[in-house]
Each structure stands twice: as structure tokens, then as C-alpha cells.
Amino acid sequence: ALVTSKEMFKKAYEGQYAVGAFNVNNMEIIQGIVEAAKEENAPLILQVSAGARKYAKPAYLKKLVEAAIEDTGLDVVLHLDHGENFEICKQCIDDGFTSVMIDGSKYSFEENIALTKKVVEYAHERGVVVEAELGRLAGIEDNVNVSEKDAIYTDPNQAVEFVERTGVDSLAIAIGTSHGAYKFKGEPKLDFERLEKITKLLPNFPLVLHGASTVIPEFVEACNKYGGNIPGAKGVPEDMLRRASKLGICKINIDTDLRLAMTAAIRKYLTENPEVFDPRKYLGEGRKAIKEMVRHKIKNVLGCSNKK
Ligand SMILES: O=C(COP(=O)(O)O)N(O)CCCCO
Ligand code: NA
Ligand SMILES: [Zn+2]
């Protein structure tokens, strides 16, 4: 069924694991993800960005997710990722989403609070939960582009005030991650002290980690080997994600690792099978790669196998 993340996050917090939030844009990506979650008996969040809604059109994505639930019997959260304003959050809530993110992180503290409160009011009246963001990620991906110098980590005391004044259900925090495949110039590093401080001030409050792809080296190498060009791509090491999910992080966002898995598999297949031109062949390879990658994440990184 379509569910909110309320129960999922409560269990994830107590069980010291995280739920995967995977970005979806087409049928094969959805199928690969839900097949993995089904086999792992795992809780699941499928998230749709504004870019995904433009690419696939809202109706297709909604019906594909409904089909996935019908086919697998899974409990799935349908979440709007990086909602930029009240309107798109309202649209998705009216369209049956069970969770929305209102990303006011580019505004002032007070403006972010005012905007988030407005979305929380509308969402809670309809049984929908809300994620907000405080602090700014660095990094470039789609239309989420904040240059390094403005990257401002989340202030723990502000986080308490923000949660109290908005009534938001979960909070995306900035502790060193960024969107996309080029997350770190030097050694990967997350501000775990800051994360611990936030959990001490906000016990049992679900936190969200954006920009959390590992940028799996095996896929980067395969992409580059079969005609790609993504040198120096680097992400969050798996042990840091495991450590974060043992703390207050209950939701870990993954988009780039899906993109890399699918792209590597399709590049490899097309290079090795030049005579093939049936899209089911290479899209099917992409789907398989996504399924295997998501299973690995669920089992070895998120720790949410058999936690459905
Ligand atoms: O936090 C993330 C994904 O992060 P990553 O790029 O590490 O997979 N997202 O919110 C998904 C994509 C953002 C803009 O489209
Ligand atoms: Na957790
Ligand atoms: Zn994000």
C-alpha cells in the first residue's frame, strides 16, 4: 500500500537503521528498485523530483508506482523530492503523494520557517508528512546548485527552533554531503560531531541525509571503460553511511548511484553487443544492475533488510 514514513522512521530510529529513498524517473528504474526491496523485505521510499515530473509526466510516475505496489504488495512511501514551493507540494499532496519535501534551504531562516509551516499545515490536514531542509548542501545536480562558498552546515540550535516552530516530520541536514558524482575534492568527510549534537538536542526526531550516494567506483570505472567520461567522481564511503544510519539519520537519498549503475550496465551491454538494437535488451540490463545495486544498499549499507 501507499504509506507515510511516520511508522517507518520510528522503527528506523529505534532499530538504528535507515530507509532508502530512491529517485525514480521511468519504468525500469522503478521495477529494479521495488524488486530488490521485495526480495529484501525492506521498507521503501520512492521519490520524485521536479525534473522527474517534467521528464515522465506526473500521471505516468504515479501509475507506475501504483502498479509496482499492486505487483509486489509492498508498503511504499511516494515522496516529492526537493519541492521548491507551496504549489508543487500542494499538487503532489492532492495527487496522492504520502510525503513531500519543501526545500526552503535557499531562503533565510525565517522565510524557510514560514514556507515550511504553510506546507505542514496543508499536508497534515490531509495525513501527509513533510520533510524540510535546514543548512545548505554544496554540489551541482539538476537544478540543485549551490556553489561551495554558500554551503552552510546545519546549526544544531537552529534545528531545534526550526522543528518546534514548523511541526515538520523530518529534517534534511547539511553535514558535508552534496548532490551529484563529485562530492569531495579531497578525502570524504562528514561532520559526525554536528550530527551527534543535533540528535542530542532532537532525540527521536528523524533526520535525512541528501547527497548520500557512494558513487560506486565499480560503476564509475565501467562507465569510463565503455565510452563514458566522469573522471574523479567520488562519493560517501559506505562505512560513513552505516555510521550515520546508526545515529538519527532515518532516510538516505540515493539518485547518483542509480544513474551510474544503469549507465554502466547499458554502456557495457551496447559495447559488447553492437548488433543488438532491441531497447528491451539494454534497458533490461540497466534494470538488472539497478536491482543488484539496491539489494546491496539495503543489505550492506542501510541495514533495513527484513524490517518491512
Ligand atoms: O539527495 C539526493 C541524491 O543525492 P545523490 O546525488 O548523492 O544520489 N536527491 O535529493 C536526489 C537528486 C537531487 C536533485 O535532483
Ligand atoms: Na537511523
Ligand atoms: Zn537532495
Side-chain angles (χ1 to χ4, degrees), residues 43-272:
L44 181 64
I45 298 169
L46 295 179
Q47 56 186 24
V48 169
S49 68
R53 287 165 60 78
K54 284 190 193 79
Y55 173 76
K57 291 190 190 165
Y60 285 82
L61 291 173
K62 178 85 190 328
K63 294 208 182 322
L64 281 166
V65 171
E66 283 167 352
I69 290 172
E70 203 179 295
D71 184 53
T72 61
L74 277 176
D75 286 339
V76 173
V77 175
L78 179 54
H79 175 76
L80 168 66
D81 189 27
H82 288 290
E84 289 187 342
N85 52 48
F86 172 78
E87 288 66 33
I88 189 167
C89 291
K90 176 179 184 302
Q91 252 175 49
C92 291
I93 292 166
D94 294 346
D95 192 24
F97 278 53
T98 52
S99 172
V100 293
M101 177 189 191
I102 175 67
D103 180 359
S105 60
K106 62 174 178 270
Y107 301 121
S108 74
F109 183 60
E110 288 301 330
E111 286 160 340
N112 189 355
I113 287 180
L115 176 58
T116 301
K117 268 179 82 157
K118 194 172 166 213
V119 174
V120 166
E121 208 174 299
Y122 191 82
H124 283 185
E125 264 165 20
R126 293 156 180 81
V128 173
V129 291
V130 181
E131 174 188 326
E133 181 168 333
L134 187 64
R136 293 185 192 134
L137 303 187
I140 294 166
E141 183 173 16
D142 287 346
N143 45 12
V144 183
N145 174 354
V146 173
S147 64
E148 214 89 64
K149 68 179 185 319
D150 295 334
I152 304 167
Y153 287 6
T154 306
D155 174 293
N157 295 305
Q158 274 199 343
V160 178
E161 184 182 347
F162 186 91
V163 167
E164 282 169 355
R165 289 176 58 188
T166 59
V168 77
D169 301 282
S170 65
L171 186 68
I173 58 171
I175 55 171
T177 61
S178 60
H179 290 132
Y182 304 93
K183 297 182 193 299
F184 301 99
K185 296 229 173 349
E187 277 314 296
K189 189 179 167 325
L190 297 187
D191 189 340
F192 282 103
E193 262 161 72
R194 186 180 300 269
L195 173 55
E196 299 206 34
K197 242 161 109 186
I198 296 170
T199 59
K200 285 213 176 31
L201 296 174
L202 282 171
N204 300 309
F205 184 82
L207 301 174
V208 181
L209 197 61
H210 281 242
S213 279
T214 292
V215 186
I216 297 168
E218 168 206 346
F219 298 137
V220 174
E221 282 147 33
C223 283
N224 290 330
K225 180 176 176 190
Y226 296 105
N229 182 21
I230 45 174
K234 199 186 292 180
V236 185
E238 293 189 344
D239 62 311
M240 292 189 189
L241 296 172
R242 280 190 285 271
R243 188 173 164 197
S245 34
K246 286 186 176 45
L247 293 167
I249 297 289
C250 295
K251 174 175 182 269
I252 289 185
N253 281 16
I254 298 162
D255 190 14
T256 296
D257 280 337
L258 292 168
R259 299 180 180 196
L260 290 170
M262 189 155 205
T263 304
I266 292 175
R267 282 190 172 282
K268 178 173 183 331
Y269 183 84
L270 288 176
T271 305
E272 291 179 347

Side-chain angles (χ1 to χ4, degrees), residues 19-37:
V19 180
F22 300 94
N23 285 77
V24 296
N25 293 281
N26 72 6
M27 180 187 80
E28 285 79 3
I29 294 172
I30 292 173
Q31 289 176 321
I33 294 166
V34 295
E35 277 162 32

